[in-house]
Amino acid sequence: MSGERLSPARRLLTAALALAVLVGLPLAFLLTRDWHDAVNEDIRGSLPTLAENPRLHAVREELQAPAINSVLLKVIVSGTDAKDIRAVIREAVAQADSQADAGQAVFGGVFFPGDTDGMKNLGRFIYENRLTLFVPGWLQTHWADFQKTGQPADTFSDWLAKRTVDELEAFLERSEAMAYAELLPKDPWLLIPRAQSALPQPASAGGDAVLAWLATEQDALSPAGQEVIATGLAKVESVLRNRWPQAKIESGGVYEIARQSEARTRQEVSVLNIAMLAVIVLLLVALMRRVADLLLALIPLGVSVLCAAAVGLLVFGKIQVLALGISSVVLGLAVDYTVHLVANRREGNLLEAWRCIRKPLLAGCFSSCLGLFFLLLAPLPAVSQVGLMVPAGLLGALAAVRWILPYIAPACAKPPLRAFLYRSWRGAPRRGWLTGLLVAWLVLLSMLAVNLRFDDKIVSYQIPVGEAMERYQTLLDETGQSDAQIRSRWFTVASTPVGLLQQLNDIRAAGVDPVGPAALLGRAKGSEAWTVFAPQREAYAEALFKELDARGFDADAFEGFTDSLDDLPDELTDTAAAEALSGLSGRLEGPMRGLLMQDADGWAGTFGVAEEIEVPASLKSTTAVLDERAVLNRVLASARHAVLRGALWGFLAVGVVLVWVFGWRNGLQVALLPAFAVVGGLACATIWGGGLSLLSVIGAVLAYCLGLDYGAFAVHFRGHAPVSVRVSALTTAGAFAVLGFSEIKAVSDLGVVVAASVLFAWLGAECLGLPRRADRVQDH
Amino acid sequence: MLSLAVLLVAVPLAAVPTPGSPSSSEPTEPASDVATAPSGTDTDKDPSALLAALAWPPGDQVARVAFTEERQFPFRRFPKRFSGTLDRSPSGELILSYTQPVRERLLLLPEGIYFENADGQRRELPAEAGYVRVLRDLIGGDQQALQRDWQIEPKTDGFTLTPKAPALDGSLKRVEVTVADGRVRGVQVFLSDGVVRRYTFDQLTWVPPAQFGRPADTP
């Protein structure tokens, strides 16, 4: 059937039918959907549901709430008493709350980290309960050290006495010991100094500065909550400025970082989208002769969008915003299909051009779909959606190119593209080019091998908000909420306070040493350390007395302490421990509330860990990493592994299909060309942006699919200039290169990987497309 | 009772040895060499004249005084011994560096007073606390503040400072300053909790500004 022979009515009918199926059906479906509910904009929804105990999940949110839903305020009024400033802050907060809309209380309380008067209650309680709270943990730590010596258990008291005096001597060499001179004879185990150093460090924000921690009643992560918090804080600052116009006021909080991040992300996405579109349009205008051909591209483009969205909503119900972003690659591919068709029109009509490109286009399209289908296996909802939506879009675009464009575009004798695009490298030696390309590829491969590292940090997916983040971090440091020793923060849950202490014993038994206040906590009953030490208390007291005397101490000064060892069993009962922990929990205020919490379902406590390690399997039912970002980092790493596995299977499946379509030799060339290109793209990304993220890997998969088309066309049209590949590569690489300038590292990685891979694939296609020696001889 | 307030101020009432103004490069008295500072009987009862013995000599380089310190705890028969250097920059900043047996520093800078522990972690000391005032006024040599907050009594080989201000009275009993040849030779700080800190100072030397706060054996 030839285009010329078709009657206008037949052409119209075919195009109308195709339009009805490819445009009408998806559009009708999409119009029935509520679009407010169709896209999930919360990027957390793009990530897999955390496979953890729901109780742990709920507790994590509860423990993180004080840090997330709070604002830090720093006020400096030279020459004004801190007490006056604190009083006005309280008053300002109350005013802000009273002026808020009904049911929209902004702040949930004020805590002053630098107010030592406010800490007295806690300090007194810790001092009075130091034995009950801290001896079990102290004993277990020392028992663990003793066990490493290999000495028999009955020598523990002598070893411990010597260790006690060693530690006391070492402590006296530090200047901070001066503040404990009166206490040390009562506390030679240094429980209070240890507790003090383990607690958040005191506020230190400069001479006259007053720091305030304002709990918020609003969700700092929701735009509505952020608005209310910002308004409330502005009122507080206004009250303070009215009182002290010269006051220096600084504030910061998660609400502000989230707000700025969202605004900047929205702005960046808009700018990048416009820039990408502009680059594509400008390049197409520069490369194509007729605007009509350019407009033709809109049809497959529109069909691909409709099909991708309709299939996504039909199958998944809701589309993740991340999937929407990645799936936008389908737009580029849809334009490419049009370019392939139009570029091969030459002097005939589009139906004839279709026959020319049918084989490589079908092979490229189906291979891409096959490769992308393997993304369905990825554990990330967003990535699996891409695995279905992009193939749906590609098939839609292919159908539009097959059944709509040839029937609506008029025949045109002129070549559709600029003349220089048709130039071929006839004189070039194919073998020399291929050898050069192979050497270049080996260089890139070795660069990739040297620089290869992966970046699975969720922060790479966030746009930097430098000033707000730095200000907030400084305020956190000043309020003593940072601890350089702690590399990871964990939490553990139990139904009772004693259960919580037992959990800490189990954590130590699993080989994890807690850092921070929890390092001193533990349960005496049932612990090996206490079981060994309890009957040796008297011997320990005697050994300590002798050791102190021998080392130049006035041993009599410590008599009160050694006598108190008689009462130690009463201090360390489960009942006493439960009471002390309850008392401690009730006295923690402000950000310290996140250290130890009690709710209707039980108890939860947080503790630091000096290394970034996995929670041991034996503890996973009760213990988890507190920082959700750490959890997300692991999710991203596992997703990357899954995508890589899927991509490998896809690569093998695509290879089989291509060998079947093009034969052994050509099929292998088509399959290997994008693999070559992607290695180059990944090498560039590691040099340009550092570690490879999940989006880099996804970008590699997409670039592989793009490269497949180039390979198929180069092999199919060997000996001819790969005209459509040139147009496609220029527009695609140009558009994705724009993404390379994104401030979001993962998006930038995606752009660099795809742009560089496409350029390498183009280069490869040019070389593959060169005539073989035999062909050239035949030509001559 | 030990409150957390006390826990939080776990920093020494350290050196009150050698005066000078951290905020001014000009000494309060004519810049006589330390070796020629007053020792006559007429000036002995004049607080200003007594305190003048604490003045730092002016110079373009860093003035450095090596010191040893003995800390006598009430529950220990023998004192603990420490050594280090006290540096004064030409602009009046002061850094007290302990080098033995642990490395710690106390920095009196225009923007605040800081304590730096052996791990290099720096912490600003709250300005309103009594002991910070002691550091600021005595090490800094603020004669006006010293005369306002302290009773100054001469003794045969120097003078004694007894706190007048209630904020100081709670933590300090007295400070005895020994002067010989017109310069401070020793300082004894008697704390309310029974601790005594005895400082002995060597000769003043001059070192290049690059060495400010960095004793010779600092890595």
Side-chain angles (χ1 to χ4, degrees):
Chain A
M1 187 171 66
S2 163
E4 287 86 357
R5 285 186 225 149
L6 289 177
S7 66
R10 181 83 181 272
R11 290 165 69 104
L12 195 65
L13 187 67
T14 309
L17 196 63
L19 276 169
V21 173
L22 295 173
V23 178
L25 281 180
L27 198 59
F29 170 73
L30 292 173
L31 288 174
T32 62
R33 303 295 306 221
D34 176 6
W35 278 89
H36 289 103
D37 195 38
V39 178
N40 185 357
E41 288 187 3
D42 186 348
I43 197 148
R44 290 171 296 185
S46 303
L47 300 167
T49 310
L50 301 174
E52 69 177 2
N53 182 331
R55 166 77 178 140
L56 287 181
H57 192 68
V59 168
R60 177 186 286 113
E61 287 188 353
E62 209 175 330
L63 289 169
Q64 286 193 319
I68 293 171
N69 296 321
S70 60
V71 176
L72 296 172
L73 184 68
K74 177 177 162 185
V75 182
I76 301 175
V77 188
S78 297
T80 306
D81 193 76
K83 282 182 183 170
D84 293 341
I85 300 175
R86 287 182 189 122
V88 176
I89 291 175
R90 275 201 189 90
E91 190 186 312
V93 166
Q95 275 188 33
D97 272 338
S98 66
Q99 289 171 14
D101 295 341
Q104 282 217 321
V106 188
F107 300 109
V110 190
F111 173 77
F112 298 102
D115 183 10
T116 47
D117 288 345
M119 299 285 277
K120 277 183 180 167
N121 186 24
L122 176 64
R124 185 184 300 117
F125 182 82
I126 287 176
Y127 173 71
E128 287 169 355
N129 291 274
R130 65 187 185 279
L131 294 176
T132 308
L133 287 169
F134 304 138
V135 167
W138 179 86
L139 211 48
Q140 284 170 37
T141 307
H142 285 75
W143 171 247
D145 289 345
F146 172 73
Q147 285 184 305
K148 288 175 195 162
T149 67
Q151 297 175 47
D154 58 2
T155 61
F156 183 48
S157 57
D158 288 341
W159 179 89
L160 192 62
K162 190 172 178 312
R163 173 61 79 90
T164 304
V165 181
D166 285 346
E167 290 177 353
L168 186 57
E169 284 266 43
F171 183 65
L172 291 179
E173 288 173 357
R174 290 159 51 188
S175 290
E176 67 177 282
M178 305 304 299
Y180 299 97
E182 278 184 298
L183 173 71
L184 290 177
K186 298 174 206 161
D187 185 24
W189 285 346
L190 307 173
L191 298 176
I192 292 297
R194 285 176 211 273
Q196 192 274 327
S197 64
L199 278 170
Q201 289 300 301
S204 173
D208 299 325
V210 168
L211 291 162
W213 180 90
L214 314 181
T216 62
E217 294 286 308
Q218 301 291 325
D219 179 9
L221 299 179
S222 77
Q226 290 158 10
E227 186 61 36
V228 175
I229 295 169
T231 310
L233 193 60
K235 282 177 187 165
V236 170
E237 294 190 8
S238 160
V239 171
L240 288 164
R241 286 203 189 285
N242 283 341
R243 177 70 182 269
W244 296 294
Q246 80 281 17
K248 287 181 192 167
I249 302 172
E250 273 182 30
S251 64
V254 172
Y255 89 94
E256 186 190 13
I257 293 166
R259 195 185 195 199
Q260 284 193 14
S261 178
E262 281 165 19
R264 288 199 58 200
T265 304
R266 215 175 296 125
Q267 186 191 14
E268 170 140 316
V269 167
S270 307
V271 169
L272 287 174
N273 280 340
I274 292 167
M276 284 176 81
L277 195 65
V279 166
I280 291 173
V281 170
L282 284 174
L283 282 169
L284 287 177
V285 166
L287 300 174
M288 295 180 101
R289 285 175 187 272
R290 297 195 316 162
V291 177
D293 289 334
L294 197 61
L295 294 176
L296 278 181
L298 293 177
I299 297 170
L301 199 142
V303 169
S304 68
V305 170
L306 289 172
C307 289
V311 169
L313 282 175
L314 190 67
V315 176
F316 301 106
K318 196 175 243 187
I319 299 173
Q320 306 290 347
V321 68
L322 189 60
L324 211 56
I326 299 171
S327 297
S328 63
V329 72
V330 81
L331 303 177
L333 285 162
V335 172
D336 284 357
Y337 288 2
T338 313
V339 169
H340 288 311
L341 185 74
V342 171
N344 287 284
R345 178 168 56 189
R346 302 292 174 121
E347 293 175 6
N349 61 24
L350 287 184
L351 205 53
E352 284 174 359
W354 163 255
R355 291 197 192 100
C356 284
I357 65 164
R358 185 168 49 192
K359 185 178 175 185
L361 195 62
L362 286 174
C365 179
F366 288 135
S367 301
S368 297
C369 291
L370 190 62
L372 288 163
F373 271 136
F374 280 90
L375 291 182
L376 275 169
L377 303 174
L380 267 81
V383 177
S384 18
Q385 289 187 354
V386 170
L388 200 60
M389 286 167 62
V390 176
L394 288 184
L395 292 173
L398 183 71
V401 166
R402 168 65 185 90
W403 282 296
I404 300 177
L405 300 193
Y407 298 95
I408 62 169
C412 178
K414 281 186 182 174
L417 303 173
R418 302 283 174 194
F420 67 88
L421 290 167
Y422 294 98
R423 282 186 197 154
S424 56
W425 309 87
R426 284 215 166 263
R430 178 183 153 86
R431 181 162 293 183
W433 274 92
L434 284 175
T435 308
L437 207 58
L438 185 67
V439 170
W441 184 78
L442 287 172
V443 170
L444 285 169
L445 185 65
S446 45
M447 286 169 79
L448 178 61
V450 170
N451 294 311
L452 183 63
R453 61 182 189 282
F454 292 102
D455 173 8
D456 297 311
K457 292 193 169 68
I458 189 72
V459 74
S460 296
Y461 294 77
Q462 296 166 338
I463 198 160
V465 280
E467 194 275 328
M469 182 65 92
E470 278 171 25
R471 182 160 30 83
Y472 181 56
Q473 187 58 52
T474 305
L475 287 168
L476 281 178
D477 292 342
E478 288 176 344
T479 49
Q481 293 183 60
S482 305
D483 190 336
Q485 279 190 316
I486 294 175
R487 304 303 298 272
S488 173
R489 208 174 276 281
W490 295 7
F491 68 97
T492 188
V493 296
S495 53
T496 63
V498 173
L500 197 67
L501 296 173
Q502 182 60 46
Q503 291 289 124
L504 287 168
N505 286 8
D506 295 344
I507 286 162
R508 285 194 191 89
V512 178
D513 287 326
V515 182
L520 297 164
L521 299 176
R523 186 186 183 192
K525 189 178 175 184
S527 79
E528 197 179 2
W530 175 242
T531 307
V532 171
F533 180 72
Q536 295 187 31
R537 278 175 295 131
E538 202 173 322
Y540 170 76
E542 284 176 21
L544 180 65
F545 193 87
K546 281 183 192 163
E547 191 68 26
L548 285 167
D549 192 56
R551 306 273 284 272
F553 285 87
D554 175 8
D556 290 340
F558 294 83
E559 206 169 337
F561 168 75
T562 50
D563 289 347
S564 73
L565 294 176
D566 291 340
D567 302 327
L568 205 51
D570 294 336
E571 301 270 9
L572 303 186
T573 60
D574 277 354
T575 314
E579 202 176 311
L581 214 57
S582 300
L584 182 64
S585 163
R587 286 170 175 80
L588 294 175
E589 290 184 79
M592 285 191 293
R593 269 193 256 153
L595 295 175
L596 184 65
M597 271 189 175
Q598 180 188 9
D599 65 11
D601 296 323
W603 284 73
T606 63
F607 57 96
V609 181
E611 304 290 334
E612 274 190 54
I613 51 171
E614 287 277 330
V615 176
S618 61
L619 304 173
K620 279 193 171 165
S621 60
T622 54
T623 306
V625 175
L626 178 63
D627 189 349
E628 197 170 14
R629 286 174 302 183
V631 181
L632 296 177
N633 292 348
R634 278 204 293 279
V635 166
L636 288 172
S638 70
R640 179 175 51 75
H641 283 298
V643 170
L644 274 174
R645 269 197 308 274
L648 186 63
W649 285 111
F651 173 70
L652 292 174
V654 166
V656 169
V657 170
L658 291 172
V659 166
W660 176 60
V661 173
F662 289 101
W664 179 249
R665 192 174 172 185
N666 285 343
L668 210 56
Q669 285 179 1
V670 174
L672 286 179
L673 171 73
F676 150 83
V678 163
V679 166
L682 290 175
C684 288
T686 54
I687 295 163
W688 176 281
L692 298 176
S693 62
L694 171 65
L695 278 193
S696 307
V697 175
I698 292 173
V701 173
L702 298 176
Y704 184 83
C705 295
L706 285 160
L708 278 176
D709 287 349
Y710 297 178
F713 274 84
V715 165
H716 185 72
F717 291 106
R718 180 170 282 139
H720 299 280
V723 181
S724 59
V725 170
R726 289 173 181 174
V727 177
S728 163
L730 281 170
T731 52
T732 310
F736 275 92
V738 171
L739 282 189
F741 294 97
S742 171
E743 284 195 69
I744 304 169
K745 186 184 170 295
V747 174
S748 170
D749 288 348
L750 173 75
V752 173
V753 168
V754 177
S757 300
V758 164
L759 288 177
F760 284 118
W762 175 21
L763 193 59
E766 293 282 355
C767 293
L768 270 189
L770 289 172
R772 290 179 183 141
R773 184 175 295 180
D775 301 338
R776 278 215 298 269
V777 170
Q778 216 168 24
D779 284 351
H780 285 296
Chain B
M1 204 296 295
L2 184 85
S3 73
L4 206 65
V6 173
L7 295 181
L8 298 180
V9 294
V11 169
L13 292 162
V16 273
T18 332
S21 169
S23 57
S24 165
S25 58
E26 294 299 321
T28 50
E29 286 292 306
S32 58
D33 185 282
V34 185
T36 60
S39 59
T41 53
D42 288 346
T43 58
D44 278 353
K45 291 187 179 177
D46 176 4
S48 298
L50 290 170
L51 295 176
L54 308 174
W56 289 89
D60 294 335
Q61 292 200 305
V62 170
R64 171 168 292 173
V65 177
F67 69 88
T68 56
E69 179 192 345
E70 288 184 353
R71 287 181 196 164
Q72 179 67 61
F73 292 92
F75 49 82
R76 212 167 182 280
R77 295 197 300 276
F78 312 111
K80 301 283 285 184
R81 289 188 174 80
F82 301 80
S83 60
T85 58
L86 176 59
D87 287 0
R88 182 183 183 275
S89 75
S91 57
E93 296 159 321
L94 287 151
I95 296 182
L96 184 81
S97 308
Y98 285 93
T99 52
Q100 292 291 334
V102 289
R103 290 191 168 278
E104 288 175 338
R105 298 201 306 171
L106 190 72
L107 302 95
L108 286 88
L109 308 176
E111 63 268 27
I113 300 178
Y114 301 89
F115 173 71
E116 195 176 270
N117 69 14
D119 299 327
Q121 290 174 332
R122 191 179 286 194
R123 183 152 61 93
E124 185 174 4
L125 306 180
E128 73 270 21
Y131 69 92
V132 175
R133 288 173 56 189
V134 174
L135 295 175
R136 193 183 56 218
D137 299 345
L138 288 184
I139 298 185
D142 185 339
Q143 290 207 18
Q144 199 179 351
L146 288 171
Q147 292 190 41
R148 184 188 64 223
D149 296 338
W150 299 78
Q151 183 80 39
I152 304 167
E153 292 291 333
K155 60 188 185 90
T156 50
D157 57 350
F159 55 90
T160 301
L161 301 171
T162 312
K164 282 195 292 193
L168 305 176
D169 195 32
S171 51
L172 278 160
K173 280 185 182 166
R174 67 180 187 283
V175 178
E176 292 181 2
V177 181
T178 306
V179 179
D181 297 330
R183 60 181 290 269
V184 176
R185 289 295 186 189
V187 171
Q188 290 193 79
V189 185
F190 295 83
L191 303 175
S192 301
D193 54 15
V195 175
V196 182
R197 306 176 72 166
R198 297 187 189 88
Y199 297 86
T200 308
F201 299 98
D202 284 350
Q203 294 290 335
L204 184 144
T205 58
W206 296 97
V207 296
Q211 292 181 25
F212 179 55
R214 298 176 184 280
D217 55 343
T218 302

